[in-house]
């Protein structure tokens, strides 16, 4: 167990394919909470693609002739804080953000424990990511993928990391504008040494398409394009 109540357990054995296990937690007062957890164990199948991270996404009944797909990469971010170039992050369509520090040989999911204000785990479908050039420990990730693929999901808000992408939190002030949004791009103002000034391009959904700006690190957001009627909005990178 850790300080926030997360725990890990290693199964003695599991069958290839879909596995569902029961989880029961009992506190010292005798209160019981029960749930289930499902995961795919990879096999050496030659008849269906095996996901290599994140785990397989079930698309049963969605009009396609296969049942599982692996998560697409929708955003990449080279960590400028690492002079060796071995640290970078990828955002996926349905499996959150993954981070490597050894040039891609090993990957760690860094958004598995992200929750909303009520403590409920959220789905992290990443549309865009950006690192603050003026404060490299600061990173933003917009949820909500700006395409119409079967496995794409709309967003729940903007995520932020202040420790070089190791941990992420959902910015409470972003949910009003970005809940249900599809975000195509993000940039952070390189002239801001704090990393508090950032921009997000919303293609559709949420509070409406357009470019949104924050000047307080994501606490509040303001749409700065009028009218915001373009279908696939993007924001140009800053010139040095």
């Amino acid at each position: 167990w850790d300080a926030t109540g997360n725990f890990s357990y290693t199964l003695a054995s599991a069958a290839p394919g879909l596995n569902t296990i029961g989880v029961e937690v009992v506190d010292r007062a005798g209160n019981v909470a029960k749930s289930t957890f499902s995961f795919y164990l990879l096999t050496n199948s030659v008849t269906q693609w095996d996901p290599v991270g994140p785990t397989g996404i079930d698309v049963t009944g969605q009009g396609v002739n296969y049942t599982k797909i692996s998560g697409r990469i929708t955003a990449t971010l080279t960590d400028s804080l690492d002079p060796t170039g071995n640290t970078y992050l990828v955002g996926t369509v349905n499996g959150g953000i993954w981070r490597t520090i050894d040039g891609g040989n090993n990957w760690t999911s860094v958004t598995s424990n992200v929750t909303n204000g009520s403590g409920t785990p959220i789905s992290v479908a990443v549309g865009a990511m950006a690192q603050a050039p003026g404060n490299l420990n600061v990173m933003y990730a917009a949820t909500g993928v700006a395409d119409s693929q079967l496995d794409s999901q709309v967003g729940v808000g903007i995520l932020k990391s202040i420790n070089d992408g190791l941990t992420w939190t959902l910015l409470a002030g972003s949910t009003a504008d970005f809940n249900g949004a599809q975000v195509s791009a993000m940039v952070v103002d390189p002239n801001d040494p704090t990393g508090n000034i950032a921009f997000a391009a919303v293609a559709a959904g949420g509070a409406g398409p357009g470019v949104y700006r924050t000047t307080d690190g994501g606490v509040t957001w303001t749409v700065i394009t009028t009218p915001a009627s373009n279908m696939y909005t993007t924001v140009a990178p800053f010139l040095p």
Side-chain angles (χ1 to χ4, degrees):
W1 294 87
D2 64 17
T4 58
N6 300 305
F7 67 93
S8 63
Y9 177 77
T10 301
L11 293 175
S13 62
L18 177 64
N19 288 264
T20 300
I21 61 174
V23 179
E24 179 177 305
V25 178
V26 182
D27 65 16
R28 293 180 178 178
N31 300 305
V32 179
K34 297 182 180 181
S35 184
T36 59
F37 173 72
S38 297
F39 64 93
Y40 289 99
L41 181 64
L42 304 186
T43 69
N44 294 321
S45 171
V46 296
T47 61
Q48 182 164 240
W49 287 95
D50 283 333
V52 294
T55 54
I57 301 163
D58 192 350
V59 290
T60 303
Q62 296 195 30
V64 292
N65 59 356
Y66 45 84
T67 58
K68 294 191 299 294
I69 58 177
S70 61
R72 292 183 288 115
I73 292 176
T74 53
T76 59
L77 185 64
T78 302
D79 186 1
S80 298
L81 200 59
D82 179 6
T84 69
N86 285 324
T87 302
Y88 49 98
L89 299 93
V90 297
T92 63
V93 72
N94 231 325
I97 299 171
W98 294 71
R99 186 175 186 265
T100 179
I101 59 173
D102 56 10
N105 290 313
N106 296 281
W107 293 85
T108 301
S109 173
V110 292
T111 53
S112 297
N113 297 320
V114 176
T115 62
N116 61 19
S118 301
T120 303
I122 63 172
S123 175
V124 180
V126 180
M129 295 191 298
Q131 185 174 29
N135 185 353
L136 295 175
N137 280 301
V138 175
M139 298 178 179
Y140 295 88
T143 63
V145 181
D147 62 34
S148 57
Q149 299 300 313
L150 288 172
D151 57 338
S152 295
Q153 294 186 20
V154 297
V156 295
I158 305 291
L159 306 182
K160 183 179 181 181
S161 172
I162 57 173
N163 58 2
D164 193 32
L166 292 174
T167 60
W168 296 77
T169 56
L170 176 66
L171 294 169
S174 70
T175 57
D177 292 315
F178 296 98
N179 188 40
Q182 296 173 277
V183 182
S184 58
M186 285 202 75
V187 294
V188 184
D189 188 346
N191 300 312
D192 173 23
T194 67
N196 285 336
I197 302 176
F199 301 80
V202 176
V211 176
Y212 290 74
R213 178 178 63 189
T214 180
T215 59
D216 53 16
V219 177
T220 58
W221 295 81
T222 303
V223 62
I224 58 174
T225 53
T226 304
S229 58
N230 45 322
M231 178 58 185
Y232 278 95
T233 307
T234 189
V235 288
F238 284 91
L239 296 176

PDB file of all heavy atoms in Angstrom, residues 34-68:
ATOM      1  N   LYS A  34     -16.057  -4.174  -2.816  1.00  0.00           N
ATOM      2  CA  LYS A  34     -15.754  -5.206  -3.796  1.00  0.00           C
ATOM      3  C   LYS A  34     -15.804  -4.624  -5.199  1.00  0.00           C
ATOM      4  O   LYS A  34     -16.601  -3.751  -5.496  1.00  0.00           O
ATOM      5  CB  LYS A  34     -16.753  -6.366  -3.684  1.00  0.00           C
ATOM      6  CG  LYS A  34     -16.710  -7.110  -2.354  1.00  0.00           C
ATOM      7  CD  LYS A  34     -17.700  -8.267  -2.348  1.00  0.00           C
ATOM      8  CE  LYS A  34     -17.656  -9.024  -1.029  1.00  0.00           C
ATOM      9  NZ  LYS A  34     -18.616 -10.164  -1.029  1.00  0.00           N
ATOM     10  N   SER A  35     -14.922  -5.148  -6.053  1.00  0.00           N
ATOM     11  CA  SER A  35     -14.894  -4.720  -7.441  1.00  0.00           C
ATOM     12  C   SER A  35     -14.244  -5.820  -8.258  1.00  0.00           C
ATOM     13  O   SER A  35     -13.849  -6.868  -7.725  1.00  0.00           O
ATOM     14  CB  SER A  35     -14.116  -3.399  -7.592  1.00  0.00           C
ATOM     15  OG  SER A  35     -14.168  -2.939  -8.934  1.00  0.00           O
ATOM     16  N   THR A  36     -14.155  -5.617  -9.582  1.00  0.00           N
ATOM     17  CA  THR A  36     -13.459  -6.550 -10.453  1.00  0.00           C
ATOM     18  C   THR A  36     -12.458  -5.784 -11.301  1.00  0.00           C
ATOM     19  O   THR A  36     -12.604  -4.578 -11.527  1.00  0.00           O
ATOM     20  CB  THR A  36     -14.427  -7.305 -11.375  1.00  0.00           C
ATOM     21  OG1 THR A  36     -15.156  -6.368 -12.174  1.00  0.00           O
ATOM     22  CG2 THR A  36     -15.389  -8.164 -10.567  1.00  0.00           C
ATOM     23  N   PHE A  37     -11.446  -6.479 -11.758  1.00  0.00           N
ATOM     24  CA  PHE A  37     -10.401  -5.888 -12.594  1.00  0.00           C
ATOM     25  C   PHE A  37     -10.147  -6.826 -13.759  1.00  0.00           C
ATOM     26  O   PHE A  37      -9.941  -8.029 -13.570  1.00  0.00           O
ATOM     27  CB  PHE A  37      -9.122  -5.696 -11.773  1.00  0.00           C
ATOM     28  CG  PHE A  37      -7.951  -5.255 -12.587  1.00  0.00           C
ATOM     29  CD1 PHE A  37      -7.884  -3.963 -13.087  1.00  0.00           C
ATOM     30  CD2 PHE A  37      -6.917  -6.137 -12.858  1.00  0.00           C
ATOM     31  CE1 PHE A  37      -6.802  -3.553 -13.847  1.00  0.00           C
ATOM     32  CE2 PHE A  37      -5.821  -5.732 -13.606  1.00  0.00           C
ATOM     33  CZ  PHE A  37      -5.777  -4.435 -14.103  1.00  0.00           C
ATOM     34  N   SER A  38     -10.178  -6.286 -14.983  1.00  0.00           N
ATOM     35  CA  SER A  38      -9.971  -7.091 -16.185  1.00  0.00           C
ATOM     36  C   SER A  38      -8.690  -6.663 -16.893  1.00  0.00           C
ATOM     37  O   SER A  38      -8.350  -5.475 -16.921  1.00  0.00           O
ATOM     38  CB  SER A  38     -11.160  -6.944 -17.143  1.00  0.00           C
ATOM     39  OG  SER A  38     -12.351  -7.432 -16.554  1.00  0.00           O
ATOM     40  N   PHE A  39      -7.993  -7.646 -17.465  1.00  0.00           N
ATOM     41  CA  PHE A  39      -6.781  -7.353 -18.216  1.00  0.00           C
ATOM     42  C   PHE A  39      -6.562  -8.461 -19.244  1.00  0.00           C
ATOM     43  O   PHE A  39      -7.108  -9.558 -19.150  1.00  0.00           O
ATOM     44  CB  PHE A  39      -5.568  -7.254 -17.286  1.00  0.00           C
ATOM     45  CG  PHE A  39      -5.219  -8.541 -16.577  1.00  0.00           C
ATOM     46  CD1 PHE A  39      -4.291  -9.419 -17.103  1.00  0.00           C
ATOM     47  CD2 PHE A  39      -5.847  -8.870 -15.379  1.00  0.00           C
ATOM     48  CE1 PHE A  39      -3.980 -10.606 -16.457  1.00  0.00           C
ATOM     49  CE2 PHE A  39      -5.547 -10.050 -14.726  1.00  0.00           C
ATOM     50  CZ  PHE A  39      -4.608 -10.920 -15.265  1.00  0.00           C
ATOM     51  N   TYR A  40      -5.769  -8.132 -20.265  1.00  0.00           N
ATOM     52  CA  TYR A  40      -5.399  -9.100 -21.288  1.00  0.00           C
ATOM     53  C   TYR A  40      -3.969  -9.578 -21.050  1.00  0.00           C
ATOM     54  O   TYR A  40      -3.063  -8.764 -20.880  1.00  0.00           O
ATOM     55  CB  TYR A  40      -5.483  -8.486 -22.684  1.00  0.00           C
ATOM     56  CG  TYR A  40      -6.888  -8.232 -23.156  1.00  0.00           C
ATOM     57  CD1 TYR A  40      -7.435  -6.960 -23.063  1.00  0.00           C
ATOM     58  CD2 TYR A  40      -7.667  -9.247 -23.704  1.00  0.00           C
ATOM     59  CE1 TYR A  40      -8.723  -6.709 -23.502  1.00  0.00           C
ATOM     60  CE2 TYR A  40      -8.952  -9.004 -24.139  1.00  0.00           C
ATOM     61  CZ  TYR A  40      -9.477  -7.732 -24.044  1.00  0.00           C
ATOM     62  OH  TYR A  40     -10.750  -7.483 -24.473  1.00  0.00           O
ATOM     63  N   LEU A  41      -3.770 -10.894 -21.049  1.00  0.00           N
ATOM     64  CA  LEU A  41      -2.434 -11.466 -20.993  1.00  0.00           C
ATOM     65  C   LEU A  41      -2.003 -11.763 -22.420  1.00  0.00           C
ATOM     66  O   LEU A  41      -2.673 -12.496 -23.142  1.00  0.00           O
ATOM     67  CB  LEU A  41      -2.423 -12.740 -20.147  1.00  0.00           C
ATOM     68  CG  LEU A  41      -1.059 -13.423 -20.003  1.00  0.00           C
ATOM     69  CD1 LEU A  41      -0.083 -12.517 -19.254  1.00  0.00           C
ATOM     70  CD2 LEU A  41      -1.208 -14.755 -19.267  1.00  0.00           C
ATOM     71  N   LEU A  42      -0.874 -11.184 -22.843  1.00  0.00           N
ATOM     72  CA  LEU A  42      -0.419 -11.336 -24.220  1.00  0.00           C
ATOM     73  C   LEU A  42      -0.043 -12.774 -24.519  1.00  0.00           C
ATOM     74  O   LEU A  42       0.462 -13.504 -23.672  1.00  0.00           O
ATOM     75  CB  LEU A  42       0.770 -10.418 -24.478  1.00  0.00           C
ATOM     76  CG  LEU A  42       0.562  -8.930 -24.187  1.00  0.00           C
ATOM     77  CD1 LEU A  42       1.782  -8.139 -24.642  1.00  0.00           C
ATOM     78  CD2 LEU A  42      -0.682  -8.420 -24.885  1.00  0.00           C
ATOM     79  N   THR A  43      -0.279 -13.188 -25.784  1.00  0.00           N
ATOM     80  CA  THR A  43       0.036 -14.539 -26.237  1.00  0.00           C
ATOM     81  C   THR A  43       0.919 -14.456 -27.474  1.00  0.00           C
ATOM     82  O   THR A  43       1.272 -13.380 -27.940  1.00  0.00           O
ATOM     83  CB  THR A  43      -1.248 -15.307 -26.575  1.00  0.00           C
ATOM     84  OG1 THR A  43      -1.835 -14.727 -27.763  1.00  0.00           O
ATOM     85  CG2 THR A  43      -2.260 -15.241 -25.441  1.00  0.00           C
ATOM     86  N   ASN A  44       1.258 -15.625 -28.013  1.00  0.00           N
ATOM     87  CA  ASN A  44       2.027 -15.698 -29.251  1.00  0.00           C
ATOM     88  C   ASN A  44       1.127 -15.945 -30.447  1.00  0.00           C
ATOM     89  O   ASN A  44       1.525 -16.557 -31.436  1.00  0.00           O
ATOM     90  CB  ASN A  44       3.075 -16.816 -29.151  1.00  0.00           C
ATOM     91  CG  ASN A  44       4.132 -16.519 -28.108  1.00  0.00           C
ATOM     92  OD1 ASN A  44       4.564 -15.388 -27.974  1.00  0.00           O
ATOM     93  ND2 ASN A  44       4.542 -17.542 -27.369  1.00  0.00           N
ATOM     94  N   SER A  45      -0.105 -15.438 -30.382  1.00  0.00           N
ATOM     95  CA  SER A  45      -1.064 -15.663 -31.453  1.00  0.00           C
ATOM     96  C   SER A  45      -0.572 -15.085 -32.772  1.00  0.00           C
ATOM     97  O   SER A  45      -0.006 -13.989 -32.819  1.00  0.00           O
ATOM     98  CB  SER A  45      -2.404 -15.006 -31.078  1.00  0.00           C
ATOM     99  OG  SER A  45      -3.284 -15.025 -32.186  1.00  0.00           O
ATOM    100  N   VAL A  46      -0.809 -15.835 -33.867  1.00  0.00           N
ATOM    101  CA  VAL A  46      -0.494 -15.327 -35.202  1.00  0.00           C
ATOM    102  C   VAL A  46      -1.760 -14.965 -35.960  1.00  0.00           C
ATOM    103  O   VAL A  46      -1.708 -14.609 -37.127  1.00  0.00           O
ATOM    104  CB  VAL A  46       0.318 -16.370 -36.002  1.00  0.00           C
ATOM    105  CG1 VAL A  46       1.658 -16.614 -35.356  1.00  0.00           C
ATOM    106  CG2 VAL A  46      -0.461 -17.688 -36.122  1.00  0.00           C
ATOM    107  N   THR A  47      -2.912 -15.060 -35.296  1.00  0.00           N
ATOM    108  CA  THR A  47      -4.180 -14.758 -35.964  1.00  0.00           C
ATOM    109  C   THR A  47      -4.733 -13.402 -35.573  1.00  0.00           C
ATOM    110  O   THR A  47      -5.653 -12.907 -36.196  1.00  0.00           O
ATOM    111  CB  THR A  47      -5.224 -15.841 -35.635  1.00  0.00           C
ATOM    112  OG1 THR A  47      -5.449 -15.868 -34.216  1.00  0.00           O
ATOM    113  CG2 THR A  47      -4.748 -17.215 -36.091  1.00  0.00           C
ATOM    114  N   GLN A  48      -4.215 -12.794 -34.538  1.00  0.00           N
ATOM    115  CA  GLN A  48      -4.696 -11.485 -34.108  1.00  0.00           C
ATOM    116  C   GLN A  48      -3.538 -10.698 -33.518  1.00  0.00           C
ATOM    117  O   GLN A  48      -2.662 -11.249 -32.854  1.00  0.00           O
ATOM    118  CB  GLN A  48      -5.809 -11.617 -33.065  1.00  0.00           C
ATOM    119  CG  GLN A  48      -6.373 -10.283 -32.614  1.00  0.00           C
ATOM    120  CD  GLN A  48      -7.693 -10.446 -31.899  1.00  0.00           C
ATOM    121  OE1 GLN A  48      -8.700  -9.908 -32.324  1.00  0.00           O
ATOM    122  NE2 GLN A  48      -7.711 -11.180 -30.812  1.00  0.00           N
ATOM    123  N   TRP A  49      -3.529  -9.402 -33.789  1.00  0.00           N
ATOM    124  CA  TRP A  49      -2.466  -8.544 -33.276  1.00  0.00           C
ATOM    125  C   TRP A  49      -2.475  -8.526 -31.753  1.00  0.00           C
ATOM    126  O   TRP A  49      -3.529  -8.478 -31.128  1.00  0.00           O
ATOM    127  CB  TRP A  49      -2.634  -7.119 -33.787  1.00  0.00           C
ATOM    128  CG  TRP A  49      -2.296  -6.955 -35.234  1.00  0.00           C
ATOM    129  CD1 TRP A  49      -3.157  -6.990 -36.286  1.00  0.00           C
ATOM    130  CD2 TRP A  49      -1.005  -6.752 -35.801  1.00  0.00           C
ATOM    131  NE1 TRP A  49      -2.497  -6.816 -37.471  1.00  0.00           N
ATOM    132  CE2 TRP A  49      -1.173  -6.665 -37.201  1.00  0.00           C
ATOM    133  CE3 TRP A  49       0.265  -6.625 -35.263  1.00  0.00           C
ATOM    134  CZ2 TRP A  49      -0.103  -6.454 -38.070  1.00  0.00           C
ATOM    135  CZ3 TRP A  49       1.336  -6.417 -36.126  1.00  0.00           C
ATOM    136  CH2 TRP A  49       1.146  -6.337 -37.513  1.00  0.00           C
ATOM    137  N   ASP A  50      -1.305  -8.573 -31.171  1.00  0.00           N
ATOM    138  CA  ASP A  50      -1.173  -8.471 -29.727  1.00  0.00           C
ATOM    139  C   ASP A  50      -0.794  -7.043 -29.351  1.00  0.00           C
ATOM    140  O   ASP A  50       0.152  -6.479 -29.903  1.00  0.00           O
ATOM    141  CB  ASP A  50      -0.092  -9.410 -29.193  1.00  0.00           C
ATOM    142  CG  ASP A  50      -0.557 -10.847 -29.137  1.00  0.00           C
ATOM    143  OD1 ASP A  50      -1.775 -11.048 -29.015  1.00  0.00           O
ATOM    144  OD2 ASP A  50       0.285 -11.749 -29.218  1.00  0.00           O
ATOM    145  N   PRO A  51      -1.506  -6.425 -28.392  1.00  0.00           N
ATOM    146  CA  PRO A  51      -1.120  -5.093 -27.945  1.00  0.00           C
ATOM    147  C   PRO A  51       0.148  -5.156 -27.111  1.00  0.00           C
ATOM    148  O   PRO A  51       0.340  -6.083 -26.340  1.00  0.00           O
ATOM    149  CB  PRO A  51      -2.316  -4.652 -27.092  1.00  0.00           C
ATOM    150  CG  PRO A  51      -2.900  -5.930 -26.583  1.00  0.00           C
ATOM    151  CD  PRO A  51      -2.678  -6.933 -27.657  1.00  0.00           C
ATOM    152  N   VAL A  52       1.021  -4.168 -27.260  1.00  0.00           N
ATOM    153  CA  VAL A  52       2.255  -4.132 -26.490  1.00  0.00           C
ATOM    154  C   VAL A  52       2.254  -2.962 -25.525  1.00  0.00           C
ATOM    155  O   VAL A  52       3.277  -2.605 -24.961  1.00  0.00           O
ATOM    156  CB  VAL A  52       3.481  -4.056 -27.432  1.00  0.00           C
ATOM    157  CG1 VAL A  52       3.607  -5.309 -28.242  1.00  0.00           C
ATOM    158  CG2 VAL A  52       3.414  -2.844 -28.344  1.00  0.00           C
ATOM    159  N   GLY A  53       1.123  -2.352 -25.312  1.00  0.00           N
ATOM    160  CA  GLY A  53       0.993  -1.251 -24.379  1.00  0.00           C
ATOM    161  C   GLY A  53       0.421  -0.032 -25.063  1.00  0.00           C
ATOM    162  O   GLY A  53       0.977   0.406 -26.061  1.00  0.00           O
ATOM    163  N   PRO A  54      -0.687   0.494 -24.542  1.00  0.00           N
ATOM    164  CA  PRO A  54      -1.433  -0.011 -23.388  1.00  0.00           C
ATOM    165  C   PRO A  54      -2.188  -1.296 -23.724  1.00  0.00           C
ATOM    166  O   PRO A  54      -2.126  -1.763 -24.861  1.00  0.00           O
ATOM    167  CB  PRO A  54      -2.416   1.132 -23.087  1.00  0.00           C
ATOM    168  CG  PRO A  54      -2.638   1.764 -24.417  1.00  0.00           C
ATOM    169  CD  PRO A  54      -1.316   1.682 -25.125  1.00  0.00           C
ATOM    170  N   THR A  55      -2.895  -1.847 -22.751  1.00  0.00           N
ATOM    171  CA  THR A  55      -3.567  -3.114 -22.951  1.00  0.00           C
ATOM    172  C   THR A  55      -4.655  -2.997 -23.997  1.00  0.00           C
ATOM    173  O   THR A  55      -5.077  -1.912 -24.361  1.00  0.00           O
ATOM    174  CB  THR A  55      -4.200  -3.607 -21.633  1.00  0.00           C
ATOM    175  OG1 THR A  55      -5.035  -2.567 -21.112  1.00  0.00           O
ATOM    176  CG2 THR A  55      -3.134  -3.942 -20.619  1.00  0.00           C
ATOM    177  N   GLY A  56      -5.087  -4.161 -24.487  1.00  0.00           N
ATOM    178  CA  GLY A  56      -6.053  -4.189 -25.572  1.00  0.00           C
ATOM    179  C   GLY A  56      -7.332  -3.444 -25.263  1.00  0.00           C
ATOM    180  O   GLY A  56      -7.823  -3.463 -24.141  1.00  0.00           O
ATOM    181  N   ILE A  57      -7.885  -2.809 -26.274  1.00  0.00           N
ATOM    182  CA  ILE A  57      -9.123  -2.038 -26.130  1.00  0.00           C
ATOM    183  C   ILE A  57     -10.243  -2.817 -26.804  1.00  0.00           C
ATOM    184  O   ILE A  57     -10.147  -3.183 -27.980  1.00  0.00           O
ATOM    185  CB  ILE A  57      -8.965  -0.649 -26.764  1.00  0.00           C
ATOM    186  CG1 ILE A  57      -7.798   0.101 -26.086  1.00  0.00           C
ATOM    187  CG2 ILE A  57     -10.253   0.153 -26.667  1.00  0.00           C
ATOM    188  CD1 ILE A  57      -7.309   1.279 -26.869  1.00  0.00           C
ATOM    189  N   ASP A  58     -11.289  -3.077 -26.093  1.00  0.00           N
ATOM    190  CA  ASP A  58     -12.393  -3.885 -26.597  1.00  0.00           C
ATOM    191  C   ASP A  58     -13.275  -3.054 -27.523  1.00  0.00           C
ATOM    192  O   ASP A  58     -13.827  -2.032 -27.114  1.00  0.00           O
ATOM    193  CB  ASP A  58     -13.217  -4.417 -25.412  1.00  0.00           C
ATOM    194  CG  ASP A  58     -14.200  -5.502 -25.842  1.00  0.00           C
ATOM    195  OD1 ASP A  58     -14.375  -5.699 -27.056  1.00  0.00           O
ATOM    196  OD2 ASP A  58     -14.789  -6.135 -24.957  1.00  0.00           O
ATOM    197  N   VAL A  59     -13.409  -3.485 -28.787  1.00  0.00           N
ATOM    198  CA  VAL A  59     -14.291  -2.803 -29.736  1.00  0.00           C
ATOM    199  C   VAL A  59     -15.360  -3.761 -30.241  1.00  0.00           C
ATOM    200  O   VAL A  59     -15.841  -3.651 -31.367  1.00  0.00           O
ATOM    201  CB  VAL A  59     -13.493  -2.207 -30.914  1.00  0.00           C
ATOM    202  CG1 VAL A  59     -12.660  -1.031 -30.475  1.00  0.00           C
ATOM    203  CG2 VAL A  59     -12.600  -3.270 -31.569  1.00  0.00           C
ATOM    204  N   THR A  60     -15.734  -4.719 -29.401  1.00  0.00           N
ATOM    205  CA  THR A  60     -16.780  -5.662 -29.757  1.00  0.00           C
ATOM    206  C   THR A  60     -18.084  -4.924 -30.062  1.00  0.00           C
ATOM    207  O   THR A  60     -18.489  -4.024 -29.339  1.00  0.00           O
ATOM    208  CB  THR A  60     -17.006  -6.648 -28.600  1.00  0.00           C
ATOM    209  OG1 THR A  60     -15.782  -7.309 -28.296  1.00  0.00           O
ATOM    210  CG2 THR A  60     -18.075  -7.671 -28.968  1.00  0.00           C
ATOM    211  N   GLY A  61     -18.747  -5.308 -31.153  1.00  0.00           N
ATOM    212  CA  GLY A  61     -20.045  -4.724 -31.497  1.00  0.00           C
ATOM    213  C   GLY A  61     -19.981  -3.360 -32.133  1.00  0.00           C
ATOM    214  O   GLY A  61     -20.989  -2.671 -32.235  1.00  0.00           O
ATOM    215  N   GLN A  62     -18.791  -2.931 -32.580  1.00  0.00           N
ATOM    216  CA  GLN A  62     -18.668  -1.614 -33.189  1.00  0.00           C
ATOM    217  C   GLN A  62     -18.539  -1.669 -34.708  1.00  0.00           C
ATOM    218  O   GLN A  62     -18.058  -0.742 -35.348  1.00  0.00           O
ATOM    219  CB  GLN A  62     -17.478  -0.858 -32.590  1.00  0.00           C
ATOM    220  CG  GLN A  62     -17.658  -0.571 -31.108  1.00  0.00           C
ATOM    221  CD  GLN A  62     -16.675   0.465 -30.597  1.00  0.00           C
ATOM    222  OE1 GLN A  62     -16.252   1.342 -31.337  1.00  0.00           O
ATOM    223  NE2 GLN A  62     -16.315   0.381 -29.341  1.00  0.00           N
ATOM    224  N   GLY A  63     -18.984  -2.801 -35.309  1.00  0.00           N
ATOM    225  CA  GLY A  63     -19.050  -2.884 -36.761  1.00  0.00           C
ATOM    226  C   GLY A  63     -17.746  -3.223 -37.440  1.00  0.00           C
ATOM    227  O   GLY A  63     -17.593  -2.978 -38.641  1.00  0.00           O
ATOM    228  N   VAL A  64     -16.773  -3.783 -36.711  1.00  0.00           N
ATOM    229  CA  VAL A  64     -15.501  -4.184 -37.306  1.00  0.00           C
ATOM    230  C   VAL A  64     -15.316  -5.678 -37.104  1.00  0.00           C
ATOM    231  O   VAL A  64     -15.946  -6.287 -36.240  1.00  0.00           O
ATOM    232  CB  VAL A  64     -14.324  -3.407 -36.678  1.00  0.00           C
ATOM    233  CG1 VAL A  64     -14.397  -1.945 -37.052  1.00  0.00           C
ATOM    234  CG2 VAL A  64     -14.321  -3.562 -35.159  1.00  0.00           C
ATOM    235  N   ASN A  65     -14.442  -6.290 -37.930  1.00  0.00           N
ATOM    236  CA  ASN A  65     -14.307  -7.745 -37.886  1.00  0.00           C
ATOM    237  C   ASN A  65     -13.156  -8.197 -36.996  1.00  0.00           C
ATOM    238  O   ASN A  65     -12.500  -9.195 -37.261  1.00  0.00           O
ATOM    239  CB  ASN A  65     -14.116  -8.292 -39.306  1.00  0.00           C
ATOM    240  CG  ASN A  65     -12.884  -7.715 -39.989  1.00  0.00           C
ATOM    241  OD1 ASN A  65     -12.228  -6.860 -39.419  1.00  0.00           O
ATOM    242  ND2 ASN A  65     -12.587  -8.189 -41.193  1.00  0.00           N
ATOM    243  N   TYR A  66     -12.885  -7.447 -35.951  1.00  0.00           N
ATOM    244  CA  TYR A  66     -11.918  -7.849 -34.941  1.00  0.00           C
ATOM    245  C   TYR A  66     -12.435  -7.353 -33.598  1.00  0.00           C
ATOM    246  O   TYR A  66     -13.320  -6.511 -33.534  1.00  0.00           O
ATOM    247  CB  TYR A  66     -10.524  -7.293 -35.231  1.00  0.00           C
ATOM    248  CG  TYR A  66     -10.508  -5.845 -35.636  1.00  0.00           C
ATOM    249  CD1 TYR A  66     -10.520  -4.823 -34.699  1.00  0.00           C
ATOM    250  CD2 TYR A  66     -10.513  -5.487 -36.986  1.00  0.00           C
ATOM    251  CE1 TYR A  66     -10.528  -3.491 -35.065  1.00  0.00           C
ATOM    252  CE2 TYR A  66     -10.514  -4.145 -37.373  1.00  0.00           C
ATOM    253  CZ  TYR A  66     -10.515  -3.159 -36.418  1.00  0.00           C
ATOM    254  OH  TYR A  66     -10.526  -1.848 -36.782  1.00  0.00           O
ATOM    255  N   THR A  67     -11.902  -7.892 -32.519  1.00  0.00           N
ATOM    256  CA  THR A  67     -12.465  -7.591 -31.197  1.00  0.00           C
ATOM    257  C   THR A  67     -11.569  -6.740 -30.326  1.00  0.00           C
ATOM    258  O   THR A  67     -12.043  -6.119 -29.388  1.00  0.00           O
ATOM    259  CB  THR A  67     -12.768  -8.900 -30.442  1.00  0.00           C
ATOM    260  OG1 THR A  67     -11.556  -9.660 -30.331  1.00  0.00           O
ATOM    261  CG2 THR A  67     -13.813  -9.713 -31.177  1.00  0.00           C
ATOM    262  N   LYS A  68     -10.242  -6.715 -30.596  1.00  0.00           N
ATOM    263  CA  LYS A  68      -9.338  -5.955 -29.756  1.00  0.00           C
ATOM    264  C   LYS A  68      -8.358  -5.186 -30.625  1.00  0.00           C
ATOM    265  O   LYS A  68      -7.962  -5.647 -31.692  1.00  0.00           O
ATOM    266  CB  LYS A  68      -8.555  -6.864 -28.804  1.00  0.00           C
ATOM    267  CG  LYS A  68      -9.397  -7.568 -27.770  1.00  0.00           C
ATOM    268  CD  LYS A  68      -8.528  -8.211 -26.722  1.00  0.00           C
ATOM    269  CE  LYS A  68      -7.602  -9.264 -27.276  1.00  0.00           C
ATOM    270  NZ  LYS A  68      -8.325 -10.420 -27.794  1.00  0.00           N
TER     271      LYS A  68
END
